[in-house]
Amino acid sequence: MSQPSSPEGRARSSSPAADQVSAGNALWSDVRALLPSTKKDLKLDFSEKVEESVISLLQQARDLLYGAGSLCSGGTRETCLQVSEIIIDYSWEKLNIGTWRDVDKDWRRVYSYGCLFKVLCMCSEQGTIADAIRVCDMGLLMGASILDNILVRIINVLQKHLTYGKRSAEEDTKESRRKKIRNDHTSIPSVKSEEVIPRLHCPSLEHFRENYMIPQKPVILEGIVDHWPCMKKWSLDYLRQIAGCRTVPVEVGSRYTDEEWSQTLMIVNDFIDQYIVNKNSIGYLAQHQLFDQVIGRKYIRLYSPQESENLYPHETQILHNTSQVDVEDPDLVKFPKFERAAFQACILIPGQVLFIPVKYWHYVRSLDVSFSVSFWWS
């Protein structure tokens, strides 16, 4: 006669591996619920610009997804994953031939479907959720919307299943060293009284419009974003938690005119670790801007459009709105007129919003680890 199992025995039967499988099944169930209920509802309609061989691959991946064999079984999953990779690789080549505006939208949709099928394969096994989110992000950034923006909805599900572990002591030490290095090498510029940008506390929209926006005069607005949740929540740790595994387009380099300046796609965590840099070139925009300081401080100089000649803009069309001058260490032999360029300045602190009128030249340098939010309008 068998003995009833002990409480200890029952506890041992639930292993970490079993818990992982259970969590994986729950993830797959949540993601699967976002898909059309039948194969016919997942339509693959493309123009004649997409080759029949590619459409056949898409149909094969769809058939594997809705077939009698479970996608959770090893063989079916591996086959679907291979087909998805072929779709992604082939459509990626199509996305990178010629200029972006000439890429047919159907090829962007093909790429998104490839990312979708790959993510479904990843969710059906005990894979890394962060990697699946990255695949979704690539589909969103390089592809086109499919199935009522399903990749966004899948990311929302994935993030609910993503566990955020605390950083190790070693990571905390590295972050502290980075902060110390930045603080040790950051000089705080003085702002003379004649250079100070005026401040307003909670002005009415009419007052701001009549006295600053229409006459195009810079002003610092105070007390208008205090209610924003980010003013209390945002920190490096918070941004890592909510977006650390997301892929975003990033401008890498200290200024647009440097040879090493580039644009790339990068995971937010990697950007925070490697490229918290000062973008300190001086240029202007063809729109009004509200520059909202959320974390840390920034030193900002503004030059009116009337000073353009003294700022020596680049002669090339692509950089005509960027100055050749290093603002805080100018070469006055090469750029003698810069010395007489009048400017206004400020040290913008969290909670302040700087109004930068259209075509005002602006120079920005971070004094701390800092984040800002900008709004542009014409």
Side-chain angles (χ1 to χ4, degrees):
M1 182 175 178
S2 61
Q3 296 296 321
S5 59
S6 66
E8 292 80 3
R10 287 195 298 270
R12 283 195 297 269
S13 68
S14 179
S15 65
D19 291 341
Q20 186 179 14
V21 171
S22 176
N25 290 337
L27 172 60
W28 169 242
S29 177
D30 289 347
V31 171
R32 181 64 181 83
L34 300 176
L35 296 171
S37 56
T38 67
K39 181 172 69 174
K40 291 183 178 179
D41 293 328
L42 201 161
K43 300 183 184 301
L44 298 171
D45 298 325
F46 295 94
S47 70
E48 66 281 358
K49 293 183 179 179
V50 178
E51 293 99 318
E52 285 294 331
S53 59
V54 176
I55 294 177
S56 295
L57 287 170
L58 290 164
Q59 292 170 342
Q60 182 182 354
R62 180 185 62 181
D63 292 345
L64 288 167
L65 175 62
Y66 285 91
S70 171
L71 195 60
C72 291
S73 66
T76 304
R77 181 179 62 245
E78 287 304 315
T79 302
C80 187
L81 186 60
Q82 291 172 7
V83 173
S84 303
E85 293 282 10
I86 294 172
I87 295 169
I88 289 173
D89 290 344
Y90 190 80
S91 56
W92 179 261
E93 294 298 324
K94 293 290 186 179
L95 299 183
N96 287 278
I97 296 176
T99 59
W100 179 250
R101 67 172 177 268
D102 294 329
V103 175
D104 190 86
K105 187 177 180 180
D106 267 357
W107 279 113
R108 294 172 57 197
R109 291 177 60 234
V110 169
Y111 182 79
S112 291
Y113 272 108
C115 292
L116 170 64
F117 293 135
K118 181 176 181 178
V119 165
L120 294 173
C121 295
M122 297 172 75
C123 291
S124 66
E125 61 175 339
Q126 306 310 310
T128 303
I129 294 178
D131 290 341
I133 291 175
R134 176 168 172 77
V135 174
C136 285
D137 278 332
M138 291 301 296
L140 292 172
L141 290 166
M142 301 299 295
S145 178
I146 57 172
L147 301 177
D148 192 25
N149 226 3
I150 191 172
L151 293 177
V152 170
R153 292 183 285 128
I154 288 178
I155 287 176
N156 291 336
V157 169
L158 292 172
Q159 287 190 307
K160 291 178 182 177
H161 287 265
L162 186 64
T163 56
Y164 300 98
K166 292 185 177 180
R167 287 187 298 167
S168 66
E170 181 181 358
E171 290 173 320
D172 285 336
T173 301
K174 287 182 179 178
E175 180 62 26
S176 297
R177 287 174 181 169
R178 281 194 291 267
K179 289 180 180 179
K180 186 177 187 301
I181 291 172
R182 282 191 290 261
N183 292 335
D184 288 348
H185 290 81
T186 300
S187 59
I188 309 299
S190 60
V191 179
K192 300 176 183 178
S193 57
E194 64 271 19
E195 302 166 353
V196 171
I197 299 172
R199 300 180 185 182
L200 279 179
H201 184 79
C202 292
S204 67
L205 183 59
E206 293 77 9
H207 182 81
F208 167 70
R209 182 176 181 275
E210 294 298 325
N211 293 278
Y212 294 95
M213 194 179 85
I214 292 178
Q216 298 187 16
K217 294 181 179 179
V219 65
I220 296 173
L221 305 172
E222 298 181 324
I224 66 171
V225 295
D226 294 347
H227 62 289
W228 284 9
C230 65
M231 300 308 301
K232 297 180 176 65
K233 286 185 177 181
W234 277 20
S235 66
L236 288 184
D237 285 339
Y238 177 74
L239 293 175
R240 287 182 189 275
Q241 179 178 336
I242 65 168
C245 61
R246 300 300 302 272
T247 301
V248 295
V250 172
E251 296 176 351
V252 178
S254 59
R255 63 186 73 191
Y256 296 111
T257 52
D258 288 348
E259 289 185 3
E260 68 271 17
W261 185 88
S262 64
Q263 293 175 306
T264 187
L265 297 177
M266 183 176 293
I267 297 173
V268 170
N269 273 336
D270 291 343
F271 171 73
I272 292 174
D273 288 338
Q274 301 174 37
Y275 294 109
I276 297 294
V277 297
N278 303 324
K279 189 168 71 176
N280 54 14
S281 59
I282 177 172
Y284 71 83
L285 297 172
Q287 295 176 305
H288 294 303
Q289 180 179 5
L290 286 177
F291 190 92
D292 308 346
Q293 191 62 21
V294 179
I295 298 175
R297 302 166 299 163
K298 282 189 168 75
Y299 173 65
I300 302 178
R301 279 194 196 182
L302 299 180
Y303 295 82
S304 76
Q306 286 71 37
E307 300 293 341
S308 295
E309 184 180 351
N310 296 330
L311 299 179
Y312 297 88
H314 284 269
E315 295 180 0
T316 60
Q317 179 61 30
I318 194 171
L319 291 174
H320 71 280
N321 64 341
T322 304
S323 170
Q324 302 179 60
V325 183
D326 184 340
V327 170
E328 294 191 77
D329 187 23
D331 183 344
L332 297 179
V333 174
K334 188 176 181 180
F335 308 114
K337 290 187 290 185
F338 179 74
E339 192 170 23
R340 59 176 183 260
F343 64 88
Q344 293 174 279
C346 69
I347 294 178
L348 206 65
I349 63 174
Q352 293 182 332
V353 179
L354 175 62
F355 169 61
I356 305 176
V358 61
K359 291 191 175 180
Y360 254 72
W361 297 83
H362 51 279
Y363 167 85
V364 181
R365 175 162 68 88
S366 296
L367 302 179
D368 313 301
V369 173
S370 62
F371 288 85
S372 310
V373 177
S374 293
F375 296 91
W376 297 276
W377 78 99
S378 300

